[in-house]
């Protein structure tokens, strides 16, 4: 795109981006939505199939109650109104991975509507509208690559056919790529807390299409939107929106008009492309699914699910700030996933040092995990093991610097801090007598610096502390060293 940074801030003063997301989330049920086949990811192709999810004539769908329970959890956590009666419909289109020739989805009468997700934008809380949450089945998967004859054939794996999904549609309430990114992040966190999905974008259990338009600031109506697909990561969502917003502004500035169309993000070329018109001609001819009864949700079922909801992210964050004296930023990061929040609470309780635990988790532990591209669920350092390290640091047995080295070793070998310390003779020297001995040696070896200090050059003290630390290979307690040096050197005053 040719809009320069300077020019782009000028056009953004004139144009306002408007974004609405459509998010598909795979539910973590054991079996598919309308049959008993397993939903396990990664099984051999076409091993989890039956007449229902193959779409064989005469096979009848039976709704999975667990899928409805999970969808209700999601909808309630998104503050939606639950429709006491919703219906399934057939969404007709032809694609090789859709054996029935239609997808069973909810259309006119969805499970839930009119919700909201709370966001934090520029330090202020703002809610983004949720238009609807509905249930549907997934399609199979076409495999175009990875086979010896992939240049002439595509293969189809129907294991995913009939896996339960919820579609969450947002109102066009988002106004920048960053806001869209935050919305999707919060949505993912919420689903992880509810335990209804693993929201793994790489495995396709979280998918997102972005609708975007721009309009002159202050305009009463929305501009014409495009729908961007093929967004396989959070980064791509942000990049594709940035590209698309700039493209639309450029078209409008050039006197053109925006075509309402579906566009694909091309991550190699870092741009969006319009699809050929035939590929997006939406004419699904929805009609009611005759093989399924209307879905009725009783008040008591709804309320029992509401009562069963776990502590949600914003409440957990507030509680952790209160209970552990954490700052807003720390609490936000630590509640980013339920697994991380659990880990923190375990370390904090076992060590009795909440702030220090937070520092070590968000600092060194996260750094090492990121380095290995792992998340907290894969950590080789258990919460109990980290708590032990944090306690050793808190009571002054080891210094922060030693703690860093020991944690690196814990990562590498899986050993406990106490084991590593015993093996390497790593113990902080805080004993005044022992430190005093080294201090006297250092003073004797550096008479010139000792004299400078006595004549009033106080800055020399930290150089001398450094020498003592060097002599003890970093094991001396710096506080104790400083006191011992002052005592041995006597007063520092100009002659
Ligand atoms: P469609 O009829 O194309 O499916 P919908 O009105 O159902 O469009 O909305 C689909 C998604 O697009 C929703 O997330 C909605 O918030 C968003 N959306 C609708 N109109 C616009 C617009 N003018 N600009 C940006 N997003 C929009
Ligand atoms: Zn099946
Ligand atoms: Mg629509």
């Amino acid at each position: 795109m040719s809009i320069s940074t300077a020019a782009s801030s000028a056009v953004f003063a004139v144009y306002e981006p408007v974004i609405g997301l459509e998010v598909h989330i795979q539910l973590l049920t054991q079996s598919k939505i309308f049959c008993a086949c397993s939903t396990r990811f990664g099984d051999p192709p076409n091993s989890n199939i039956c007449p229902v999810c193959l779409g064989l004539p005469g096979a009848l769908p039976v709704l999975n109650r667990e899928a409805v329970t999970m969808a209700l959890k999601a909808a309630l956590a998104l503050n939606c109104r639950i429709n006491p009666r919703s219906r399934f419909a057939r969404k007709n289109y032809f694609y090789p991975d859709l054996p029935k020739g239609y997808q069973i989805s909810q259309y006119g009468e969805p499970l839930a509507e009119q919700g909201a997700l709370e966001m934090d934008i520029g330090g202020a809380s703002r809610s983004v509208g949720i238009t609807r949450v509905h249930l549907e089945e997934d399609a199979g998967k076409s495999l175009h690559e990875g086979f010896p004859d992939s240049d002439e054939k595509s293969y189809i794996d129907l294991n995913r056919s009939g896996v339960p999904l919820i579609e969450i549609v947002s109102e066009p309430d988002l106004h920048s790529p960053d806001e869209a990114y935050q919305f999707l992040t919060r949505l993912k966190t919420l689903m992880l807390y509810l335990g209804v999905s693993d929201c793994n974008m790489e495995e396709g259990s979280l998918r997102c299409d972005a609708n975007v338009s721009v309009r002159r600031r202050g305009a009463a109506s929305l501009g014409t939107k495009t729908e961007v697909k093929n967004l396989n990561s959070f980064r791509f969502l942000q990049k594709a929106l940035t590209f698309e917003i700039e493209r639309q502004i450029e078209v409008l500035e050039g006197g053109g008009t925006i075509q309402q169309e579906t566009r694909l993000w091309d991550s190699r070329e870092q741009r969006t492309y319009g699809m050929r018109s035939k590929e997006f001609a939406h004419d699904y001819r929805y009609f009611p699914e005759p093989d399924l009864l209307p879905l009725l949700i009783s008040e008591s079922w709804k309320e029992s699910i509401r009562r069963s909801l776990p502590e949600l992210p914003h409440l957990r964050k507030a509680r952790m700030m209160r209970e552990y004296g954490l700052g807003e930023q720390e609490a936000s990061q630590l509640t980013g996933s339920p697994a991380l929040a659990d880990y923190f609470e375990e370390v904090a309780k076992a060590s009795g040092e909440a702030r220090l635990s937070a520092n070590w988790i968000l600092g060194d532990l996260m750094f090492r995990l990121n380095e290995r591209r792992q998340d907290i669920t894969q950590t080789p350092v258990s919460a109990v093991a980290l708590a032990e390290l944090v306690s050793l640091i808190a009571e002054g047995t080891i210094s922060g610097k030693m703690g860093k080295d020991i944690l690196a070793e814990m990562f590498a070998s899986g050993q406990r801090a106490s084991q590593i310390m015993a093996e390497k003779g790593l113990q902080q020297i805080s004993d005044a007598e022992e430190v005093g001995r080294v201090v006297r040696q250092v003073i004797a070896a550096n008479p010139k610096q000792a004299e400078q200090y006595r004549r009033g050059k106080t800055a020399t003290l930290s150089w001398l502390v450094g020498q003592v630390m060097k002599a003890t290979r970093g094991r001396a307690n710096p506080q104790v060293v400083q006191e011992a040096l002052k005592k041995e050197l006597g007063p520092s005053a100009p002659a």
Side-chain angles (χ1 to χ4, degrees):
M1 270 290 95
S2 57
I3 298 179
S4 71
T5 322
S8 100
S9 56
V11 293
F12 278 112
V14 180
Y15 290 97
E16 178 190 44
V18 175
I19 300 161
L21 300 183
E22 292 170 283
V23 185
H24 286 91
I25 287 171
Q26 221 176 68
L27 298 177
L28 274 176
T29 54
Q30 300 279 307
S31 56
K32 295 185 180 180
I33 185 167
F34 299 123
C35 60
C37 294
S38 167
T39 55
R40 208 166 27 245
F41 182 83
D43 274 0
N46 299 310
S47 58
N48 299 322
I49 51 177
C50 75
V52 173
C53 54
L54 283 177
L56 299 185
L60 289 173
V62 177
L63 181 59
N64 179 342
R65 184 182 173 94
E66 188 58 19
V68 180
T69 300
M70 289 186 175
L72 283 171
K73 281 186 184 172
L76 287 170
L78 286 166
N79 302 299
C80 286
R81 194 193 75 210
I82 308 295
N83 288 327
R85 180 182 191 274
S86 64
R87 283 177 67 111
F88 288 94
R90 293 182 174 183
K91 178 180 178 178
N92 298 276
Y93 64 97
F94 171 78
Y95 206 73
D97 64 19
L98 188 73
K100 291 197 296 292
Y102 59 85
Q103 176 195 26
I104 302 179
S105 180
Q106 294 191 303
Y107 183 58
E109 298 159 87
L111 181 72
E113 295 172 274
Q114 295 175 7
L117 181 62
E118 219 52 50
M119 302 242 296
D120 179 7
I121 289 163
S125 146
R126 204 186 81 203
S127 80
V128 169
I130 301 294
T131 315
R132 56 190 276 148
V133 175
H134 74 239
L135 271 163
E136 60 185 33
E137 61 176 341
D138 208 345
K141 207 171 169 179
S142 299
L143 308 168
H144 304 297
E145 279 163 29
F147 296 92
D149 50 358
S150 281
D151 54 338
E152 52 191 45
K153 281 183 185 156
S154 285
Y155 288 82
I156 294 170
D157 178 4
L158 291 171
N159 282 352
R160 211 179 62 183
S161 170
V163 165
L165 303 176
I166 45 173
E167 179 173 340
I168 298 169
V169 181
S170 89
E171 289 290 298
D173 286 348
L174 300 159
H175 296 289
S176 72
D178 283 348
E179 288 183 21
Y181 184 96
Q182 193 197 132
F183 176 85
L184 196 60
T185 305
R186 292 203 171 220
L187 193 60
K188 174 178 168 170
T189 303
L190 190 58
M191 297 302 132
L192 292 177
Y193 270 70
L194 295 171
V196 300
S197 176
D198 57 21
C199 292
N200 186 331
M201 248 183 160
E202 269 120 64
E203 292 180 1
S205 53
L206 172 68
R207 284 167 253 162
C208 174
D209 300 333
N211 298 270
V212 54
S213 63
V214 298
R215 64 172 167 186
R216 291 196 162 262
R217 287 189 190 274
S221 58
L222 295 176
T224 303
K225 73 176 164 76
T226 60
E227 182 175 355
V228 185
K229 290 182 179 284
N230 202 29
L231 304 171
N232 303 326
S233 76
F234 282 70
R235 285 279 155 240
F236 291 168
L237 169 67
Q238 231 175 355
K239 285 185 169 178
L241 284 172
T242 303
F243 176 89
E244 191 56 20
I245 289 163
E246 293 191 353
R247 185 191 70 82
Q248 290 187 12
I249 291 175
E250 209 170 60
V251 168
L252 295 175
E253 285 287 283
T257 51
I258 304 300
Q259 298 290 338
Q260 172 144 1
E261 62 179 349
T262 301
R263 298 177 68 89
L264 292 184
W265 170 245
D266 183 327
S267 61
R268 213 169 325 131
E269 301 214 7
Q270 302 275 298
R271 56 161 298 167
T272 64
Y273 281 102
M275 290 164 78
R276 277 177 290 124
S277 59
K278 258 162 90 184
E279 287 172 304
F280 66 85
H282 290 310
D283 189 3
Y284 293 128
R285 295 173 194 278
Y286 281 95
F287 60 82
E289 167 60 67
D291 293 337
L292 288 163
L293 291 165
L295 173 56
L296 304 180
I297 311 290
S298 69
E299 193 64 19
S300 64
W301 190 16
K302 183 178 81 182
E303 287 314 315
S304 83
I305 288 173
R306 199 196 297 279
R307 279 193 305 273
S308 79
L309 293 181
E311 185 182 34
L312 297 180
H314 63 289
L315 292 177
R316 188 160 193 185
K317 177 179 149 191
R319 176 178 62 76
M320 281 179 25
M321 287 173 70
R322 222 173 36 239
E323 214 166 289
Y324 302 105
L326 298 177
E328 153 101 42
Q329 196 62 33
E330 288 170 312
S332 256
Q333 285 178 274
L334 288 169
T335 50
S337 82
L340 184 59
D342 288 346
Y343 186 90
F344 162 75
E345 291 207 74
E346 219 181 312
V347 178
K349 288 203 175 105
S351 68
E353 297 285 339
R355 298 299 303 270
L356 197 59
S357 299
N359 288 343
W360 279 85
I361 292 169
L362 294 175
D364 276 64
L365 184 79
M366 279 311 196
F367 173 79
R368 301 241 166 246
L369 287 172
N370 288 339
E371 213 174 40
R372 300 168 154 223
R373 296 180 167 281
Q374 288 180 324
D375 67 33
I376 194 69
T377 62
Q378 299 159 302
T379 178
V381 177
S382 69
V384 175
L386 187 67
E388 183 186 45
L389 182 72
V390 168
S391 299
L392 288 165
I393 296 163
E395 70 202 25
T397 309
I398 56 174
S399 66
K401 169 75 184 71
M402 286 158 73
K404 281 175 184 287
D405 296 341
I406 292 170
L407 186 60
E409 188 63 31
M410 289 164 74
F411 254 87
S413 68
Q415 281 181 309
R416 298 282 287 257
S418 47
Q419 267 174 299
I420 295 165
M421 285 168 58
E423 269 171 34
K424 306 215 159 173
L426 289 171
Q427 183 101 335
Q428 180 159 274
I429 310 169
S430 301
D431 181 59
E433 206 152 309
E434 205 177 336
V435 171
R437 214 163 25 242
V438 186
V439 161
R440 282 190 293 280
Q441 284 166 11
V442 166
I443 292 175
N446 300 284
K448 221 167 69 197
Q449 284 78 4
E451 197 46 36
Q452 278 175 0
Y453 171 82
R454 292 196 186 98
R455 285 214 221 97
K457 199 175 168 205
T458 47
T460 314
L461 189 68
S462 54
W463 184 85
L464 287 165
V465 170
Q467 297 310 299
V468 178
M469 295 307 287
K470 213 157 142 190
T472 57
R473 292 197 324 262
R475 289 163 56 222
N477 181 332
Q479 210 91 44
V480 179
V481 171
Q482 207 168 66
E483 277 158 30
L485 271 168
K486 281 185 183 163
K487 197 174 123 209
E488 295 289 335
L489 287 165
S492 167

